[in-house]
Amino acid sequence: MKPNSGTLVINIMNGGKAEAYEGVYQCTARNERGAAISNNIVIRPSRSPLWTKEKLEPNQVREGDSLVLHCRPPVGLPPPIIFWMDNAFQRLPQSERVSQGLNGDLYFSNVQPEDTREDYICYARFNHTQTIQQKQPISVKVFSMDSLNDTIAANLSDTDIYAKPVTERPPILLTPTGTTSNKVELRGNVLLLECIAAGLPTPVIRWIKEGGELPANRTLFENFKKTLKIIDVSEADSGNYKCIARNILGSTHHVISVTVKAAPYWITAPRNLVLSPGEDGTLICRANGNPKPSISWLANGVPIAIAPEDPSRKVDGDTIIFSAVQERSSAVYQCNASNEYGYLLANAFVNVLAEPPRILTPANKLYQVILDSPALIDCAYFGSPKPEIEWFKGVKGSILRGNEYVFHDNGTLEIPVAQKDSTGTYTCVARNELGKIQNEVQLEVKDPTMIIKQPEYKVIQRYGHVSFECIIKHDSTLIPTVIWLKDNDELPDDERFLVGKDNLTIMNVTDKDDGTYTCIVNTTLDSVSASAVLTVVAAPPTPAIIYARPNPPFDLELTGQLERSIELSWIPGDENNSPITSFVIEYEDGLHEPGVWHYQTEVPGSQTTVQLKLSPYVNYSFRVIAVNEIGRSQPSEPSEQYLTKSANPDENPSNVQGIGSEPDNLVITWESLKGFQSNGPGLQYKVSWRQKDVDDEWTSVVVANVSKYIVSGTPTFVPYEIKVQALNDLGYAPEPSEVIGHSGEDLPMVAPGNVQVHVINSTLAKVHWDPVPLKSVRGHLQGYKVYYWKVQSLSRRSKRHIEKKILTFRGNKTFGMLPGLEPYSSYKLNVRVVNGKGEGPASPDKVFKTPEGVPSSPSFLKITNPTLDSLTLEWGSPTHPNGVLISYILKFQPINNTHELGPLVEIRIPANESSLILKNLNYSTRYKFYFNAQTSVGSGSQITEEAVTIMDEAGIPRPAVGAGKAMASRQVDIATQGWFIGLMCAVALLILILLIVCFIRRNKGGKYPVKEKEDAHADPEIQPMKEDDGTFGEYSDAEDHKPLKKGSRTPSDRTVKKEDSDDSLVDYGEGVNGQFNEDGSFIGQYSGKKEKEPAEGNESSEAPSPVNAMNSFV
């Protein structure tokens, strides 16, 4: 055991055997106040036994049959990790058809010809001893039906015995066997259930829990769903789990009855107890488990039943009750909760102590704070019973109370906003039953430090001088220090920078002085700063002087050659009226990179020699470049060559990283050394790694000419310590530093849980979720993705193409906002965790609905059928109702000739209407209409239109517009007059006669060219009659788009439409070109499309309707 320590060291490095120390250990610590004991510590030596020798027969199997290759690894401690590989150390591919079971066996649901091979090798890796054991290779030969039949046919040509073809088979379970089995697992462990089936086609495995659901956030499927994995199991996970194997020919199942037991776990662990003589107290020890654990108490490591009696102590199951304790009652009590699966042990010190108060804060301690900042005044105390603390200000001041003070449990007094009158003496008083003590401390409130004149932005010409001011005001009792920074770094070590008491001056300014200058003022209590920018511009050149780059240096000479250094000297070239400010020295490595020049160093322009540091195993040549304000010279001629001797590498590769590319590997990369960094021939790299926090030995390999090494067979996403060391033929580089890398990531196992959606308004929602456990992320946490999509609109009840939207929230966020939602719609969303490998499983879809919003404007508003006193309005419902429409709002008002608006009239229309005839309007009046839809939330945007009622030509006086309501004009309704009815009857009779004549002429087949008849008979009789003759007025040729001539009446929009005519004569002709002449004869000679001719008054593609005829007579 180590001196002055309770640590026991067992060293078997000097020949001892680990088996000799196998057993159970427990530590006891004891003094005059009691004894404490530790948990039991079990020591067992690790074992990695060899594989037992066995004779393995080749496996010969027909195509389509199932096959199991048994591994049967040796029993080790801890158990080995099993994997199957071939002779080339490549992992055997696995799939739904071929997979490894939990026991290490390799299962084939059905074999295929490509499964034939002779190197199925099972490996067992014992991590603790860093050894790998190999089973003898297993040979598998698959006979295909075609080749088997060919063999049979060749040997038995005269028989009809052939192998049966490969037939499909329903599933059967390879493991577990039977229809039911039992499984016991401990609370908090990982539950693994496995079902592997044979069959052709390959069966698909599905898992269900009878009478319940699989836990959403803790369930994983592995090995192509053949393994059900439930992490962190609890008693609620007990039950029957059914695996179902199915293919096209049928299914089979197996029920595993799972019972979750539990080792004891704490509900309330006993805690240390400090009591004063005569006080009462309790120690409570409560634990749970399955089965229920038994509770036993010990006092100073001895069972309490045989421990010395204490009249103040009474044991009541899981509670010890202390009454009127005395100082001799002090002891260490142990609570042991145990069942068949484990035990818990906790120590609790019951300390019976009688101590008067003590104040630990030094007397007259001085506290200083800045005005308007918080002040914390300490009063650290100790005593038993626990003292009460009171604060006073001044020697004879009253006790401090009120909201302006905060009293902490540890005795500290807090003044949240210290003022000048807070300065003074504060007294802390601690008292209990055994005494009282007080302590005084001092508080001083200081004025804040301020910069009353800050530095200002400056623009200065090159070679000028500039000054920044920084004048401060501070508390007279505080000593300020002023620091100037350039670009957040120290000022250059240059005599041109002069720091005064309250300013900074820069002499002979150059371009390098460009930047931000900051004045920082510090005191022992506060700090303030201010900054300003300096911009340097070029001074105007003097025309008489020509400046140029310097000429290159010459006459380079190498002297003082040593293994790691050499002296280079040169003669400067002409500086060409601009002083040389510096020389740049470059080198060429003729051994590793001939023809490539590298930067070596830079020296001031006044220097013509330099001592250069050299690297081993480099063939150096040097050249020098002169620099002035104008630019750089051409390089000098190279110096003579100098080859340095070889040596061990001085440095190791940089940028060493360990990042896995697959879940079971670790890719170690580094930046290789340059040729001159090798220091000698035979450059190689020693790559070493070990798992972090596992106390493993280093594993190392030596590689050359690469910058990457892949470690296979690693656990998923665990940290590794990595180092890469350079070496050459002469030896190793210094010991490299270790870096931390991680093996490969795998997709996250768990979906975020407890997804909640809070709808903020009709277009915005907030989603919350619980973060997944970091160990289930299995990689670097990138963030969370929220998938959401609209399911349907609640107003239309019609589904549409689902377009999912994705929002990504970086980092370990647990909420996010979903903008741009559509009102009154149903949405679904789910959340997935993302790592460097990809996305994890989705959480269960969460449904939420957005409330109603205001609708969009109606899709259209048309105004048709204008009459003397009415208009017809037609409209389309809003493209986006955003809710349930409750009505439409129509507002309209007349517009006079000066474009002034009249009174506004508002009408509410039911939501199921799509048209309205607006009556009692003024004749020949323009109206402006405003139309919008309305939901329960409010009115949407409006659409506007204008229309005009028909002019009254009868000379009836125009009525005035009533207040807020359209009134009907006072003209007589001609539709009820006798003369109008007679006129319409005459028009109808005339149209009937024309139709009869047309029918007769057509049956007679009378056809003649219209144009010839017009040329031959220029008779006025056949020309159209004028309006004052009471005739219909001229026709116009629709093909020439001629307007109607004088005497023709049109609607207010000045157009004549075919659909406006109720009895168009065109409907009775042969096509659109059939026409009537004025004498009533039908012109039927036009059978094709008529060529365009000059429009004549007697040509028309469309006869006027009775309405138009009526308008001609009015």
PDB file of all heavy atoms in Angstrom, residues 867-868 923-924 948-954 958 1049 1052 1054:
ATOM      1  N   THR A 867     -77.648  47.915 -68.304  1.00  0.00           N
ATOM      2  CA  THR A 867     -78.939  48.449 -68.768  1.00  0.00           C
ATOM      3  C   THR A 867     -79.059  49.870 -68.265  1.00  0.00           C
ATOM      4  O   THR A 867     -78.092  50.447 -67.751  1.00  0.00           O
ATOM      5  CB  THR A 867     -80.091  47.581 -68.244  1.00  0.00           C
ATOM      6  OG1 THR A 867     -80.142  47.710 -66.833  1.00  0.00           O
ATOM      7  CG2 THR A 867     -79.879  46.107 -68.617  1.00  0.00           C
ATOM      8  N   LEU A 868     -80.255  50.390 -68.399  1.00  0.00           N
ATOM      9  CA  LEU A 868     -80.452  51.784 -67.994  1.00  0.00           C
ATOM     10  C   LEU A 868     -80.236  51.969 -66.487  1.00  0.00           C
ATOM     11  O   LEU A 868     -79.697  52.987 -66.070  1.00  0.00           O
ATOM     12  CB  LEU A 868     -81.873  52.246 -68.384  1.00  0.00           C
ATOM     13  CG  LEU A 868     -82.173  52.287 -69.890  1.00  0.00           C
ATOM     14  CD1 LEU A 868     -83.628  52.568 -70.103  1.00  0.00           C
ATOM     15  CD2 LEU A 868     -81.309  53.330 -70.573  1.00  0.00           C
ATOM     16  N   TYR A 923     -78.992  56.142 -64.694  1.00  0.00           N
ATOM     17  CA  TYR A 923     -78.648  55.891 -66.099  1.00  0.00           C
ATOM     18  C   TYR A 923     -77.400  56.690 -66.472  1.00  0.00           C
ATOM     19  O   TYR A 923     -77.097  57.724 -65.885  1.00  0.00           O
ATOM     20  CB  TYR A 923     -79.816  56.246 -67.018  1.00  0.00           C
ATOM     21  CG  TYR A 923     -80.105  57.748 -67.083  1.00  0.00           C
ATOM     22  CD1 TYR A 923     -79.507  58.552 -68.064  1.00  0.00           C
ATOM     23  CD2 TYR A 923     -80.945  58.344 -66.150  1.00  0.00           C
ATOM     24  CE1 TYR A 923     -79.759  59.912 -68.104  1.00  0.00           C
ATOM     25  CE2 TYR A 923     -81.195  59.694 -66.186  1.00  0.00           C
ATOM     26  CZ  TYR A 923     -80.595  60.483 -67.173  1.00  0.00           C
ATOM     27  OH  TYR A 923     -80.833  61.823 -67.213  1.00  0.00           O
ATOM     28  N   SER A 924     -76.675  56.174 -67.461  1.00  0.00           N
ATOM     29  CA  SER A 924     -75.489  56.839 -68.044  1.00  0.00           C
ATOM     30  C   SER A 924     -74.544  57.357 -66.940  1.00  0.00           C
ATOM     31  O   SER A 924     -74.073  58.480 -67.008  1.00  0.00           O
ATOM     32  CB  SER A 924     -75.911  57.980 -68.965  1.00  0.00           C
ATOM     33  OG  SER A 924     -74.777  58.477 -69.662  1.00  0.00           O
ATOM     34  N   VAL A 948     -70.301  51.445 -66.533  1.00  0.00           N
ATOM     35  CA  VAL A 948     -71.193  52.565 -66.857  1.00  0.00           C
ATOM     36  C   VAL A 948     -72.556  52.012 -67.235  1.00  0.00           C
ATOM     37  O   VAL A 948     -72.656  51.023 -67.997  1.00  0.00           O
ATOM     38  CB  VAL A 948     -70.624  53.413 -68.008  1.00  0.00           C
ATOM     39  CG1 VAL A 948     -71.529  54.602 -68.304  1.00  0.00           C
ATOM     40  CG2 VAL A 948     -69.215  53.882 -67.675  1.00  0.00           C
ATOM     41  N   THR A 949     -73.635  52.588 -66.712  1.00  0.00           N
ATOM     42  CA  THR A 949     -74.985  52.228 -67.143  1.00  0.00           C
ATOM     43  C   THR A 949     -75.273  52.876 -68.500  1.00  0.00           C
ATOM     44  O   THR A 949     -74.603  53.820 -68.917  1.00  0.00           O
ATOM     45  CB  THR A 949     -76.016  52.680 -66.106  1.00  0.00           C
ATOM     46  OG1 THR A 949     -75.835  54.077 -65.854  1.00  0.00           O
ATOM     47  CG2 THR A 949     -75.830  51.919 -64.802  1.00  0.00           C
ATOM     48  N   ILE A 950     -76.312  52.372 -69.221  1.00  0.00           N
ATOM     49  CA  ILE A 950     -76.624  52.834 -70.593  1.00  0.00           C
ATOM     50  C   ILE A 950     -77.246  54.222 -70.549  1.00  0.00           C
ATOM     51  O   ILE A 950     -78.002  54.563 -69.639  1.00  0.00           O
ATOM     52  CB  ILE A 950     -77.567  51.830 -71.282  1.00  0.00           C
ATOM     53  CG1 ILE A 950     -76.810  50.513 -71.489  1.00  0.00           C
ATOM     54  CG2 ILE A 950     -78.075  52.357 -72.597  1.00  0.00           C
ATOM     55  CD1 ILE A 950     -77.669  49.428 -72.067  1.00  0.00           C
ATOM     56  N   MET A 951     -76.916  55.019 -71.584  1.00  0.00           N
ATOM     57  CA  MET A 951     -77.451  56.395 -71.686  1.00  0.00           C
ATOM     58  C   MET A 951     -78.959  56.361 -71.997  1.00  0.00           C
ATOM     59  O   MET A 951     -79.433  55.507 -72.740  1.00  0.00           O
ATOM     60  CB  MET A 951     -76.708  57.162 -72.772  1.00  0.00           C
ATOM     61  CG  MET A 951     -77.173  58.600 -72.935  1.00  0.00           C
ATOM     62  SD  MET A 951     -76.297  59.394 -74.291  1.00  0.00           S
ATOM     63  CE  MET A 951     -74.639  59.292 -73.737  1.00  0.00           C
ATOM     64  N   ASP A 952     -79.704  57.290 -71.425  1.00  0.00           N
ATOM     65  CA  ASP A 952     -81.146  57.441 -71.698  1.00  0.00           C
ATOM     66  C   ASP A 952     -81.314  58.449 -72.814  1.00  0.00           C
ATOM     67  O   ASP A 952     -81.036  59.631 -72.658  1.00  0.00           O
ATOM     68  CB  ASP A 952     -81.848  57.907 -70.415  1.00  0.00           C
ATOM     69  CG  ASP A 952     -83.344  58.094 -70.623  1.00  0.00           C
ATOM     70  OD1 ASP A 952     -83.827  57.723 -71.709  1.00  0.00           O
ATOM     71  OD2 ASP A 952     -83.986  58.597 -69.685  1.00  0.00           O
ATOM     72  N   GLU A 953     -81.771  58.030 -74.014  1.00  0.00           N
ATOM     73  CA  GLU A 953     -81.898  58.935 -75.163  1.00  0.00           C
ATOM     74  C   GLU A 953     -83.296  59.541 -75.286  1.00  0.00           C
ATOM     75  O   GLU A 953     -83.592  60.271 -76.228  1.00  0.00           O
ATOM     76  CB  GLU A 953     -81.578  58.181 -76.459  1.00  0.00           C
ATOM     77  CG  GLU A 953     -80.113  57.825 -76.560  1.00  0.00           C
ATOM     78  CD  GLU A 953     -79.771  57.233 -77.897  1.00  0.00           C
ATOM     79  OE1 GLU A 953     -80.695  56.977 -78.681  1.00  0.00           O
ATOM     80  OE2 GLU A 953     -78.582  57.046 -78.155  1.00  0.00           O
ATOM     81  N   ALA A 954     -84.195  59.195 -74.392  1.00  0.00           N
ATOM     82  CA  ALA A 954     -85.569  59.693 -74.514  1.00  0.00           C
ATOM     83  C   ALA A 954     -85.724  61.096 -73.972  1.00  0.00           C
ATOM     84  O   ALA A 954     -86.818  61.653 -74.004  1.00  0.00           O
ATOM     85  CB  ALA A 954     -86.526  58.755 -73.785  1.00  0.00           C
ATOM     86  N   ARG A 958     -82.369  63.634 -65.765  1.00  0.00           N
ATOM     87  CA  ARG A 958     -81.558  62.734 -64.934  1.00  0.00           C
ATOM     88  C   ARG A 958     -81.908  62.932 -63.466  1.00  0.00           C
ATOM     89  O   ARG A 958     -81.928  64.038 -62.983  1.00  0.00           O
ATOM     90  CB  ARG A 958     -80.074  63.000 -65.131  1.00  0.00           C
ATOM     91  CG  ARG A 958     -79.617  62.778 -66.550  1.00  0.00           C
ATOM     92  CD  ARG A 958     -78.124  63.035 -66.656  1.00  0.00           C
ATOM     93  NE  ARG A 958     -77.672  62.832 -68.028  1.00  0.00           N
ATOM     94  CZ  ARG A 958     -76.401  62.988 -68.421  1.00  0.00           C
ATOM     95  NH1 ARG A 958     -75.508  63.361 -67.538  1.00  0.00           N
ATOM     96  NH2 ARG A 958     -76.077  62.776 -69.671  1.00  0.00           N
ATOM     97  N   ARG A1049     -76.822  51.293 -83.366  1.00  0.00           N
ATOM     98  CA  ARG A1049     -76.692  51.462 -81.910  1.00  0.00           C
ATOM     99  C   ARG A1049     -75.953  50.276 -81.314  1.00  0.00           C
ATOM    100  O   ARG A1049     -76.209  49.131 -81.668  1.00  0.00           O
ATOM    101  CB  ARG A1049     -78.097  51.563 -81.278  1.00  0.00           C
ATOM    102  CG  ARG A1049     -78.871  52.794 -81.734  1.00  0.00           C
ATOM    103  CD  ARG A1049     -78.280  54.055 -81.138  1.00  0.00           C
ATOM    104  NE  ARG A1049     -78.452  54.011 -79.717  1.00  0.00           N
ATOM    105  CZ  ARG A1049     -77.708  54.739 -78.890  1.00  0.00           C
ATOM    106  NH1 ARG A1049     -76.799  55.534 -79.349  1.00  0.00           N
ATOM    107  NH2 ARG A1049     -77.922  54.647 -77.600  1.00  0.00           N
ATOM    108  N   SER A1052     -72.767  49.992 -74.393  1.00  0.00           N
ATOM    109  CA  SER A1052     -71.879  51.044 -73.887  1.00  0.00           C
ATOM    110  C   SER A1052     -70.426  50.756 -74.121  1.00  0.00           C
ATOM    111  O   SER A1052     -69.605  51.647 -74.091  1.00  0.00           O
ATOM    112  CB  SER A1052     -72.125  51.256 -72.387  1.00  0.00           C
ATOM    113  OG  SER A1052     -71.875  50.049 -71.695  1.00  0.00           O
ATOM    114  N   ARG A1054     -69.161  49.812 -76.881  1.00  0.00           N
ATOM    115  CA  ARG A1054     -68.895  50.129 -78.293  1.00  0.00           C
ATOM    116  C   ARG A1054     -68.472  48.918 -79.106  1.00  0.00           C
ATOM    117  O   ARG A1054     -67.729  49.046 -80.056  1.00  0.00           O
ATOM    118  CB  ARG A1054     -67.824  51.208 -78.405  1.00  0.00           C
ATOM    119  CG  ARG A1054     -68.187  52.499 -77.709  1.00  0.00           C
ATOM    120  CD  ARG A1054     -69.430  53.116 -78.307  1.00  0.00           C
ATOM    121  NE  ARG A1054     -69.834  54.320 -77.597  1.00  0.00           N
ATOM    122  CZ  ARG A1054     -70.949  54.998 -77.873  1.00  0.00           C
ATOM    123  NH1 ARG A1054     -71.748  54.571 -78.823  1.00  0.00           N
ATOM    124  NH2 ARG A1054     -71.261  56.057 -77.191  1.00  0.00           N
TER     125      ARG A1054
END
